[in-house]
Amino acid sequence: MACSVDSEFVRSTSYELVEQADAVVVAVASSETSGTEPWLSGVTFRIEQTLKGHPAATALMAGARLGQTTPSDPNDLTVAHPETYFGGCSRSTFQQGGRYVLFLEQGDGVEEPAEWYAFQPTFWRGAEDYAGADSPWVRALNLYIEVQQDPDGMAALDALAARLPVLESPGASAGDRQVALDIRDQLSSLSPEKPTPYLVRAYEALERGESPRFSVRGPEANREGGMADALTDLVFDIQRPDFDIERQKDFVLTSLVNGSHPDALPLFERLLEAGPSPRTLGLSIRYLANGGQFRRAFGIVETEVMRRMGGLPDDQAIALVSDVEYAMQGKDFTFGEGDATWRAHSHVAARWPETALSLFWDMKRRGIDVRAGDDIRALRPADYRARPEVTLALATRYDEPLQSWAAEELQRVTPSANWLEDEDPAWLPLRTLVWIFGKERDVALVRFFCSGESGRIMTVQTLGLWGDELDSELLQQMLVTPGQDEEAIDGVRKALSILHGRHATDRGGLFSFSGADDAYEAVKASLTGAPLERLDDPVAPLACAAP
């Protein structure tokens, strides 16, 4: 149930929570509610006091429960309740009868009357214990509600900044200083919710080597925090990168891309004209695509991106391809829900799949584990042999028609006298089956392995070169299948060794997947004459029919 955030996640500030909420309330946890769907189950709160908005008398927090819980620290606004830093990354346990400050949103009104729900931000203060009207938390929220009466975002930031001298003065109370820290968290956050002029000016300051007006909060503000996060860093030796000026600049551009900032176009035009870095190029393409200049964005992909790709190091190439995919899918695209944006533009729809195919193979040549998307599926040929680069790309996803073709084709063809040559007709369906997965796949591979010496050698080589961790079991069965000479057995050992080395490296060496570890143990057992065992059971040989 643990939450995961991507590299572009920005933790909301308290100010932004007030801004996003339809209502901010003090509420009492009254009862647990069960519903027919997960989002209808949780804790029902009775609204006792309203700080903002006009909510109903009750609100539901989905996924929450009643129980014993540690109260919030009323004197520290720099952290959230301890439950926020593990599990689902937001608080979920409440004391029956306890009073809490909640942020509410109104339902869509499909059911009358519209329901109200308490929403929980990731890694932040979405459900803190209520400590009174004069507590630092409530004071901060009331200040934000007051300041947000001005629709001018820049003026609101100035109004917050104007409060700092008093809150940070020598005579300020501890509560005053906590409110000041929370204000500074908002002022230093370069999130997509900030006004466009603020983000553009911040970028220009960073270009000059200067700090933006209110500085920049560090990357730790967008991470989980807490003991669990610190322990994970220690155990896995995770090194957090410094948030240097170049990273800060990328962070600002990412916020402009992910928010609604049409007035930032001149900045991106200037950056494109100046010959941007690969990361800036990718973000500029996303910005143009999000802003409606989709054909222009694709034109840059076809020209500048494709020109640069071959000379980029892996990390920069991966990031650039990811940005291109984001742009082509569309800002609001969700897998399984509607079409990607590229399909809605006739010029791009006719050309993007071929470009996507080229980018796919660039990633594959770099050893990156990628899967073909719906864009490449649009290139499916009537004859799979006519375009092997498309066929093999399609094999990286579950594809039942392709699996059936490859299984039937592998049964139909016989390796030629020059079967070691790439032109042999068995290679394409064989490699296709090794990359694909499904019910027919293993049956077809075993049948070809058992077809004779050529089929055996070709199957073993292909599994070693292109198989994954799950293929370790199949190769182990081949290793103990009778009727093979020492040369043939050694070929299986080599295949298992190649598979182990590739996947142990890809998956992090010591912490590799069990399939790769099994491959290593199988080779060791075979060389020492020990029995091959898996999960305390002997490995069963393949049952090849007699010729």
Side-chain angles (χ1 to χ4, degrees):
M1 293 296 291
C3 67
S4 298
V5 295
D6 62 27
S7 61
E8 297 184 2
F9 168 77
V10 182
R11 191 256 298 154
S12 296
T13 64
S14 306
Y15 183 94
E16 290 167 346
L17 295 183
V18 171
E19 200 170 35
Q20 296 160 10
D22 295 321
V24 183
V25 302
V26 177
V28 177
S30 58
S31 62
E32 281 194 21
T33 302
S34 297
T36 56
E37 301 292 346
W39 60 86
L40 297 176
S41 300
V43 172
T44 296
F45 290 84
R46 174 174 51 82
I47 310 304
E48 185 177 82
Q49 179 185 348
T50 299
L51 306 180
K52 172 189 173 180
H54 304 282
T58 62
L60 176 71
M61 181 180 289
R65 65 185 182 89
L66 295 176
Q68 297 297 319
T69 178
T70 303
S72 307
D73 184 344
N75 300 313
D76 189 351
L77 304 190
T78 64
V79 294
H81 186 272
E83 276 193 352
T84 304
Y85 301 113
F86 60 85
C89 302
S90 59
R91 185 176 185 175
S92 60
T93 308
F94 300 88
Q95 183 81 38
Q96 187 169 29
R99 302 163 80 197
Y100 304 92
V101 180
L102 304 179
F103 299 90
L104 308 183
E105 60 184 353
Q106 190 171 13
D108 56 18
V110 174
E111 298 179 6
E112 295 296 340
E115 300 288 341
W116 285 77
Y117 299 93
F119 67 85
Q120 287 274 54
T122 300
F123 303 151
W124 203 233
R125 300 174 61 83
E128 302 300 318
D129 291 69
Y130 178 65
D134 294 328
S135 63
W137 184 224
V138 175
R139 285 178 54 201
L141 297 181
N142 280 327
L143 171 59
Y144 300 152
I145 292 167
E146 174 191 336
V147 168
Q148 289 172 14
Q149 300 305 307
D150 189 336
D152 185 335
M154 292 297 289
L157 293 178
D158 289 337
L160 287 179
R163 304 294 182 104
L164 290 175
V166 173
L167 294 170
E168 296 176 334
S169 67
S173 67
D176 290 339
R177 297 186 185 281
Q178 287 296 314
V179 174
L181 287 172
D182 202 63
I183 291 174
R184 287 200 176 277
D185 184 58
Q186 161 63 11
L187 295 177
S188 63
S189 170
L190 299 177
S191 81
E193 307 304 319
K194 280 291 182 63
T196 304
Y198 182 88
L199 292 172
V200 171
R201 292 173 193 173
Y203 189 86
E204 291 170 347
L206 292 168
E207 281 186 306
R208 297 189 298 269
E210 303 170 0
S211 175
R213 178 183 173 190
F214 299 111
S215 188
V216 180
R217 75 182 189 186
E220 67 279 354
N222 301 317
R223 297 203 302 264
E224 179 176 352
M227 288 298 295
D229 193 52
L231 182 61
T232 302
D233 285 0
L234 177 65
V235 170
F236 292 99
D237 192 27
I238 297 173
Q239 303 297 317
R240 302 294 184 178
D242 294 331
F243 203 48
D244 58 25
I245 284 183
E246 290 304 314
R247 288 182 179 275
Q248 291 173 347
K249 287 162 65 178
D250 286 350
F251 199 79
V252 177
L253 293 182
T254 302
S255 293
L256 289 168
V257 167
N258 290 333
S260 178
H261 300 284
D263 294 340
L265 179 60
L267 170 61
F268 285 94
E269 295 280 13
R270 175 170 66 80
L271 295 175
L272 285 169
E273 184 67 24
S277 67
R279 177 59 175 161
T280 301
L281 176 63
L283 290 171
S284 299
I285 290 168
R286 286 170 59 183
Y287 180 85
L288 292 175
N290 292 346
Q293 297 191 43
F294 198 80
R295 180 163 178 172
R296 182 185 174 197
F298 177 67
I300 296 173
V301 174
E302 278 194 307
T303 54
E304 190 66 9
V305 170
M306 300 307 293
R307 181 183 69 81
R308 291 195 189 192
M309 278 300 296
L312 292 178
D314 289 352
D315 59 340
Q316 294 183 18
I318 293 168
L320 183 54
V321 169
S322 295
D323 284 330
V324 170
E325 289 179 340
Y326 274 126
M328 293 299 103
Q329 290 165 358
K331 183 178 180 180
D332 300 320
F333 175 75
T334 301
F335 286 101
E337 298 180 13
D339 284 338
T341 304
W342 65 269
R343 292 183 179 274
H345 298 259
S346 57
H347 172 80
V348 179
R351 303 173 68 88
W352 164 243
E354 292 290 350
T355 304
L357 182 66
S358 295
L359 294 174
F360 169 89
W361 281 109
D362 183 276
M363 293 292 100
K364 274 293 186 185
R365 281 189 290 272
R366 296 172 186 270
I368 309 302
D369 185 18
V370 291
R371 299 286 185 267
D374 289 339
D375 39 18
I376 295 178
R377 290 183 179 185
L379 298 175
R380 183 187 300 275
D383 177 4
Y384 287 117
R385 290 190 180 276
R387 297 205 64 186
E389 72 280 13
V390 176
T391 299
L392 291 173
L394 294 175
T396 60
R397 298 289 293 270
Y398 176 69
D399 192 303
E400 192 169 352
L402 179 57
Q403 179 185 216
S404 297
W405 170 83
E408 293 170 3
E409 195 73 357
L410 201 59
Q411 189 171 13
R412 184 184 66 82
V413 300
T414 301
S416 65
N418 297 319
W419 57 268
L420 281 173
E421 302 296 329
D422 290 341
E423 303 85 52
D424 190 278
W427 281 120
L428 180 61
L430 181 59
R431 185 170 166 186
T432 298
L433 282 174
V434 167
W435 270 10
I436 213 164
F437 54 93
K439 295 179 180 178
E440 297 179 65
R441 182 240 199 208
D442 282 2
V443 172
L445 290 176
V446 170
R447 183 169 56 232
F448 194 67
F449 173 85
C450 294
S451 66
E453 181 184 17
S454 298
R456 173 181 54 74
I457 296 174
M458 293 174 74
T459 304
V460 169
Q461 285 188 351
T462 308
L463 285 170
L465 288 171
W466 307 110
D468 61 23
E469 297 98 324
L470 298 179
D471 291 317
S472 170
E473 180 179 339
L474 183 57
L475 280 168
Q476 289 177 61
Q477 290 183 278
M478 293 176 178
L479 189 61
V480 297
T481 297
Q484 304 179 88
D485 58 23
E486 180 59 27
E487 183 179 358
I489 293 173
D490 194 54
V492 184
R493 292 192 194 111
K494 290 178 181 178
L496 280 163
S497 299
I498 293 169
L499 185 148
H500 171 262
R502 183 172 69 254
H503 288 283
T505 300
D506 291 346
R507 304 297 189 184
L510 178 63
F511 296 101
S512 58
F513 277 32
S514 60
D517 292 337
D518 290 346
Y520 170 79
E521 294 297 333
V523 173
K524 185 169 68 172
S526 176
L527 289 172
T528 60
L532 268 65
E533 294 184 350
R534 177 173 38 81
L535 299 177
D536 299 325
D537 293 324
V539 175
L542 298 177
C544 291

